[in-house]
Amino acid sequence: MSSRFSGALQLTDLDDFITPSQECIKPVKIEKTETGTGAKIKIQDDGAYVHLNKPKVNEVGVTQGQETKLQKVEISLTDCLACSGCITSAESVLVAQQSHDEMVRVFTDNEQLKQSGRCNEVKLLVVSMSVQPVLSLAERYGLSPGECAEKLSGYFKSLGADLVLDMTVADDFSLLESQREFVERFRAAQEEPENFATQLPMLASSCPGWVCYAEKTHGNFILPYISTTKSPQQIMGSLVKSHLGRAPQQVYHVTLMPCYDKKLEASREDFSNQQLGTRDVDCVITAIELEQLLQVEGVELDGVVSAPLDCPWGAAQGLWSHSGSGSGGYAHHIFTHAAKELFGEDISAVQFRALRNPDFREAVLEKDGKVVLRFAIANGFRNIQNLVQKMKRGRTAYHYVEVMACPSGCLNGGAQVRPQSSISSRELIERLEKTYLSLPQRGPADNPAVATLYAEWLGERIQIKHSIVKAQYNAVPKVNPYLNVNWGNRTIRWVKKGLEGMSA
Amino acid sequence: MGRLELIQSLTGHEGRVWNVAWHPKGNFLASCGEDKIIRIWGKQGNKWVLKTILTDGHQRTIREMSWSPCGNRFASASFDATTAIWDKASENFECIATLEGHENEVKSVAFSKSGVFLATCSRDKSVWVWEVQDDEFECAAVLNAHTQDVKKVVWHPQEDILASASYDNTVKLFKEDLSDHDWTCVATLDAHESTVWSLAFEKTGARLATCSDDQTVKIWKEYKPGNPEGIVTPLNESVWKCVCALHGFHSRTIYDIAWCHITGLLATACGDDIIRVFKEEASCDPNQPTFELVHACHNAHSEDVNAVKWNPCVEGMLASASDSGEIRIWQYQD
């Protein structure tokens, strides 16, 4: 089966499917009660690790080392993300923490709490749907996008969801903040061309596959270029946890997304509330998992009773698309905004033309015969590579690049429903792109819900606003690759040559 | 029966020599290994002598080199995760580009016959295709088809088809899809029971030979769509079938194999320190060919033989590299 992660993450080994308990190199931290040297760790026959304290002489003059059984290390997804080692993300970790099974379990538990009258423990169950997986499922089940969204809403409600939302409001927030950030960066770069922190190009931040790859592989070189605006999923997370009138720990938030990489994003420490022990997004499920769930439960999506999408923040929502790419139209919207804001140019349509391959496209704004804005869309890992290498050699003239780890962007996310036998994956993408562009379009600033939220809620509160829309990234230090070897039951000869890399 | 006559031993490398590469004109031989030094040997009178030493290209072991078809350039792949491109600007070779991108050890590198592409592979399980435009090398594809360490990349001798051999016991073939310039895996050759260390195409590219840690050599034949044998070719792609396996000849891992484009002879490099030469029996059934062992050169080196390469221009001339630190040049005699 092909991977549900993007190619970028597969390369960083995040998708190696080894069980972390067997091969993880996470160091064991021993809580020591006394200092001293000479302590040893012994591996017992059953595989348990035992810590031997320094031998002591007891009353009868016999020396003996005190044995303490060490705790078995539990590897969480957060550990995986903070490590550049094996880097086992292992599917097993993800599945344990974020899967449709986990979602169903929480929903079922919640129902039991309700029935047993333990009202104060009952959670508000919220599902937020991103547009790409809805389109993927609509195509799979032969429904129109609107029908599909309402059928999905009906299905989630039948499982126990209290609110089913679409993510357009967060998409719009993310676009608006990205536009603002770009204009600020552009101006700052012109005023202080030598300040590294304000350098261009600004690189999109909404793809966690790309961000994770950048952190693990190119660290401090590339991170300053990445937009500090949160992705729509995480903005949605902040909104749902802090603006539905319930305490974060009373809300269980599920998102429906186009790729597994989003599960990693939701698990990032920055997107959790450490005091309350909650995460902004508790569980990420994907189109392909939902297809599986429907299959296992024997549910025909077509036959599900529809339910309208909820709109807790005023104006009616619904499925909208954004001009430009199927990944949310970042390059397009930032381009038109910057053209207007910085150069007073009104532009309705931006022409991104393909360069070397259809996944690397470029658009320019010319003024008085000079190029004043140069934007690009770089999808897929090969184009990420070329972009990063060009930046390293100081050979990029771009002001902004919309970077997505999957070829064709988010409509082709790693966990979208696979093409049925009668259709090639390229045809499927073309259809999804067509459907996406057929949805009603609206500029992010024209979303009345966003306007309301800005005015009533975020307006003056800079601090809060910052926590809602801003993200930060951290370079992951490299671990010594030699520590990361599974010695297991390999033969000596394998060690000799199989691991060529062990030599100098 | 034939035999391999030792022409000369080339010494100078410290530590294991991993590989040798003949210049396309056959008059130079490049070698590399654990000492991170590239040596280029050429002929002076009747003797092979050291012509050039390149020292500052890599931080760790250099695993393999490949000459461009024009012969003015070569690439070197290193355990330092980079691939260096060397260009003969005037008298000497100069490193004009360092290709980064692999996560860890680069194991193999190969220029395509057309000179348009360069392929690399790594312990990070990926195969990369780079597009060459003058001094620029752009990444054209990152292929994640293998599930383990990829040991070798080799181009088809006539077309831009790439073959890769892996620790996952398979060989995979890749081709560019011209509609979107993306590269896809078009065939998986799955018959070896352990790591496939190397492979070599026959002159026409219609067959290829693979060698493995399972101590066998396998010969694969391409069946194109519409083949007279009636082999079904799904999706209109060629099917590669294993038509011959050489069992029982090798007693250790076979690290390298070379298929001579002049004589059609196969040579293998083995962990039992032996270089073996096989010859196809004349007039055998092309769908069931048989190969005869015509020579086993015992103690060809005092340690593992890591590489064997037939000279592309001089009939029967073979170069070999070993863990012993030596390179040897041989002449095959019928």
Side-chain angles (χ1 to χ4, degrees):
Chain A
M1 195 188 72
S2 58
S3 169
R4 296 164 185 185
F5 288 103
S6 63
L9 285 191
Q10 288 174 54
L11 193 78
T12 54
D13 259 0
L14 259 164
D15 188 20
D16 51 11
F17 295 89
I18 47 177
T19 315
S21 57
Q22 287 170 358
E23 318 218 4
C24 184
I25 54 156
K26 187 190 175 191
V28 185
K29 191 178 167 196
I30 304 163
E31 297 293 347
K32 281 187 125 184
T33 48
E34 58 176 314
T35 51
T37 53
K40 284 185 180 139
I41 292 176
K42 198 166 86 182
I43 306 173
Q44 298 198 316
D45 297 340
D46 62 355
Y49 289 80
V50 168
H51 178 222
L52 289 175
N53 277 334
K54 203 174 170 183
K56 279 187 200 146
V57 183
N58 66 11
E59 295 129 17
V60 279
V62 183
T63 57
Q64 60 179 66
Q66 197 187 344
E67 294 190 354
T68 326
K69 196 166 177 186
L70 290 171
Q71 254 187 332
K72 220 175 152 187
V73 188
E74 295 278 334
I75 312 298
S76 72
L77 199 49
T78 321
D79 293 323
C80 295
L81 288 173
C83 174
S84 73
C86 62
I87 303 168
T88 150
S89 65
E91 179 102 328
S92 60
V93 177
L94 279 177
V95 168
Q97 301 188 348
Q98 297 203 31
S99 64
H100 55 279
D101 290 336
E102 174 67 8
M103 174 189 81
V104 170
R105 190 189 65 74
V106 172
F107 279 27
T108 312
D109 287 357
N110 209 50
E111 195 54 39
Q112 278 170 0
L113 289 173
K114 265 186 208 166
Q115 277 169 11
S116 59
R118 288 150 71 184
C119 295
N120 51 344
E121 291 170 53
V122 172
K123 289 188 173 183
L124 182 73
L125 305 181
V126 182
V127 180
S128 302
M129 301 191 296
S130 158
V131 66
Q132 292 89 357
V134 174
L135 297 188
S136 173
L137 290 160
E139 176 68 33
R140 166 72 176 83
Y141 296 107
L143 300 165
S144 76
E147 271 175 340
C148 182
E150 299 206 336
K151 297 277 182 198
L152 286 172
S153 171
Y155 179 63
F156 283 122
K157 296 233 162 129
S158 76
L159 293 178
D162 296 298
L163 293 174
V164 180
L165 317 173
D166 85 278
M167 253 189 224
T168 310
V169 64
D171 291 335
D172 287 337
F173 255 113
S174 187
L175 283 172
L176 286 171
E177 288 299 328
S178 299
Q179 289 176 343
R180 199 164 304 177
E181 182 185 351
F182 177 77
V183 169
E184 279 171 21
R185 279 192 186 223
F186 189 91
R187 289 194 170 125
Q190 287 190 321
E191 281 162 25
E192 296 180 79
E194 63 290 331
N195 184 349
F196 185 66
T198 61
Q199 272 178 21
L200 295 172
M202 173 166 129
L203 305 175
S205 62
S206 69
C207 170
W210 149 240
V211 171
C212 194
Y213 173 75
E215 285 181 317
K216 284 182 187 291
T217 312
H218 300 288
N220 291 327
F221 168 72
I222 211 84
L223 295 179
Y225 295 99
I226 297 183
S227 159
T228 56
T229 301
K230 269 192 204 173
S231 74
Q233 170 173 278
Q234 295 312 135
I235 290 182
M236 197 66 187
S238 302
L239 283 173
V240 164
K241 288 280 165 132
S242 62
H243 207 57
L244 282 175
R246 300 285 282 268
Q249 66 272 30
Q250 292 175 321
V251 179
Y252 184 77
H253 185 201
V254 179
T255 56
L256 176 63
M257 302 304 290
C259 65
Y260 263 41
D261 303 16
K262 285 283 171 191
K263 293 176 191 263
L264 301 177
E265 181 181 66
S267 310
R268 293 173 70 98
E269 234 165 63
D270 341 325
F271 300 142
S272 63
N273 182 326
Q274 310 224 330
Q275 282 164 336
L276 297 174
T278 61
R279 283 201 303 257
D280 294 346
V281 176
D282 294 285
C283 181
V284 176
I285 60 166
T286 57
I288 201 166
E289 289 167 284
L290 202 66
E291 183 198 27
Q292 250 172 39
L293 181 61
L294 291 168
Q295 212 162 26
V296 171
E297 305 268 308
V299 175
E300 296 285 338
L301 190 58
D302 199 18
V304 171
V305 181
S306 299
L309 297 177
D310 295 286
C311 34
W313 300 302
Q317 297 294 306
L319 292 183
W320 295 84
S321 75
H322 293 93
S323 311
S325 69
S327 312
Y330 285 85
H332 174 98
H333 283 91
I334 296 172
F335 190 95
T336 51
H337 179 77
K340 174 89 182 131
E341 197 75 8
L342 297 166
F343 302 100
E345 300 275 340
D346 275 306
I347 291 169
S348 53
V350 190
Q351 286 303 325
F352 280 90
R353 57 184 184 91
L355 295 183
R356 200 158 269 219
N357 57 63
D359 269 331
F360 200 102
R361 286 180 289 154
E362 185 184 290
V364 293
L365 177 70
E366 289 190 13
K367 214 172 163 172
D368 308 325
K370 264 176 59 186
V371 173
V372 289
L373 284 180
R374 191 184 290 273
F375 276 42
I377 298 173
N379 289 329
F381 189 60
R382 60 174 165 167
N383 291 316
I384 289 184
Q385 265 315 307
N386 290 326
L387 176 71
V388 172
Q389 297 308 328
K390 277 214 180 90
M391 286 176 66
K392 284 196 166 170
R393 281 178 278 150
R395 290 195 199 164
T396 38
Y398 295 115
H399 296 108
Y400 178 85
V401 187
E402 178 183 309
V403 187
M404 302 287 159
C406 294
S408 306
C410 297
L411 285 171
N412 185 34
Q416 294 278 70
V417 178
R418 301 277 180 265
Q420 306 296 296
S421 53
S422 57
I423 179 175
S424 76
S425 54
R426 188 165 316 123
E427 284 168 316
L428 179 62
I429 295 305
E430 278 166 14
R431 280 201 212 177
L432 292 181
E433 277 168 355
K434 220 170 131 192
T435 320
Y436 181 76
L437 292 175
S438 73
L439 293 173
Q441 294 188 351
R442 180 178 60 192
D446 302 328
N447 182 346
V450 171
T452 313
L453 284 171
Y454 264 121
E456 292 178 0
W457 178 48
L458 290 176
E460 302 302 315
R461 298 186 288 180
I462 301 300
Q463 277 303 324
I464 296 181
K465 183 181 151 192
H466 198 266
S467 72
I468 302 281
V469 299
K470 289 293 179 185
Q472 60 182 14
Y473 315 103
N474 307 300
V476 179
K478 294 253 182 218
V479 298
N480 182 342
Y482 301 147
L483 293 175
N484 178 19
V485 171
N486 163 31
W487 292 101
N489 45 10
R490 307 291 189 192
T491 64
I492 299 297
R493 275 173 12 84
W494 180 83
V495 170
K496 179 182 170 240
K497 277 279 171 76
L499 260 182
E500 294 155 67
M502 290 301 288
S503 62
Chain B
M1 297 301 264
R3 66 195 169 85
L4 282 175
E5 197 174 285
L6 178 64
I7 298 178
Q8 199 179 333
S9 291
L10 309 177
T11 54
H13 277 290
E14 280 175 35
R16 131 192 325 161
V17 185
W18 269 118
N19 230 310
V20 285
W22 288 105
H23 186 276
K25 291 209 173 87
N27 51 349
F28 291 104
L29 182 74
S31 62
C32 64
E34 230 166 31
D35 61 7
K36 313 172 196 105
I37 293 171
I38 295 167
R39 287 177 155 77
I40 299 177
W41 313 79
K43 227 170 167 189
Q44 203 164 66
N46 281 331
K47 283 279 168 203
W48 290 87
V49 294
L50 185 61
K51 295 277 190 187
T52 303
I53 292 188
L54 300 168
T55 46
D56 296 325
H58 292 288
Q59 312 291 317
R60 292 180 61 200
T61 292
I62 304 173
R63 182 64 176 85
E64 192 177 21
M65 297 147 309
S66 169
W67 290 90
S68 67
C70 69
N72 286 330
R73 260 182 196 180
F74 69 90
S76 57
S78 165
F79 289 171
D80 67 11
T82 71
T83 303
I85 309 294
W86 305 81
D87 193 85
K88 193 170 165 66
S90 52
E91 270 304 283
N92 222 332
F93 282 91
E94 224 176 279
C95 179
I96 55 155
T98 303
L99 310 184
E100 293 175 13
H102 279 295
E103 281 283 292
N104 44 43
E105 293 88 339
V106 186
K107 297 290 179 75
S108 176
V109 59
F111 270 103
S112 73
K113 195 70 187 169
S114 64
V116 175
F117 298 108
L118 181 80
T120 56
C121 65
S122 159
R123 186 165 71 84
D124 69 16
K125 306 171 198 167
S126 67
V127 172
W128 292 45
V129 179
W130 308 80
E131 204 174 328
V132 186
Q133 280 195 340
D134 305 322
D135 291 356
E136 290 284 323
F137 289 76
E138 286 234 5
C139 169
V142 177
L143 303 161
N144 290 307
H146 284 292
T147 57
Q148 295 291 342
D149 188 1
V150 189
K151 296 290 190 188
K152 190 69 114 191
V153 279
V154 176
W155 289 94
H156 188 283
Q158 291 172 0
E159 297 171 54
D160 284 333
I161 293 172
L162 178 67
S164 61
S166 164
Y167 181 66
D168 70 11
N169 307 351
T170 70
V171 167
K172 288 182 186 281
L173 299 180
F174 303 92
K175 211 164 79 170
E176 187 179 19
D177 182 335
L178 292 171
S179 68
D180 62 356
H181 298 286
D182 215 348
W183 288 71
T184 47
C185 176
V186 290
T188 299
L189 282 52
D190 187 4
H192 280 292
E193 286 162 8
S194 186
T195 306
V196 188
W197 275 87
S198 188
L199 66 124
F201 279 96
E202 189 184 17
K203 184 182 184 181
T204 60
R207 291 188 293 176
L208 62 84
T210 54
C211 65
S212 160
D213 180 53
D214 68 10
Q215 301 172 14
T216 70
V217 167
K218 292 189 196 293
I219 311 291
W220 307 77
K221 180 170 157 41
E222 179 183 20
Y223 291 91
K224 292 191 168 166
N227 61 78
E229 289 85 357
I231 305 285
V232 185
T233 54
L235 302 169
N236 231 19
E237 287 290 352
S238 290
V239 166
W240 290 80
K241 286 179 89 76
C242 179
V243 291
C244 172
L246 304 178
H247 284 284
F249 295 104
H250 300 84
S251 62
R252 289 274 176 93
T253 304
I254 312 165
Y255 291 119
D256 199 12
I257 187 158
W259 201 327
C260 182
H261 290 181
I262 302 172
T263 61
L265 293 171
L266 277 176
T268 59
C270 185
D272 59 12
D273 313 342
I274 301 175
I275 297 174
R276 292 173 177 82
V277 181
F278 296 86
K279 187 175 185 177
E280 186 171 8
E281 280 177 23
S283 71
C284 57
D285 177 0
N287 297 307
Q288 275 178 310
T290 46
F291 284 79
E292 183 195 1
L293 177 68
V294 290
H295 181 54
C297 180
H298 288 266
N299 296 314
H301 286 277
S302 58
E303 290 180 56
D304 286 11
V305 189
N306 291 325
V308 280
K309 294 277 158 39
W310 291 105
N311 187 310
C313 303
V314 182
E315 185 175 331
M317 184 178 280
L318 185 80
S320 61
S322 165
D323 276 2
S324 69
E326 263 187 344
I327 298 152
R328 288 187 161 177
I329 296 180
W330 310 83
Q331 183 63 45
Y332 178 79
Q333 307 284 0
D334 265 328

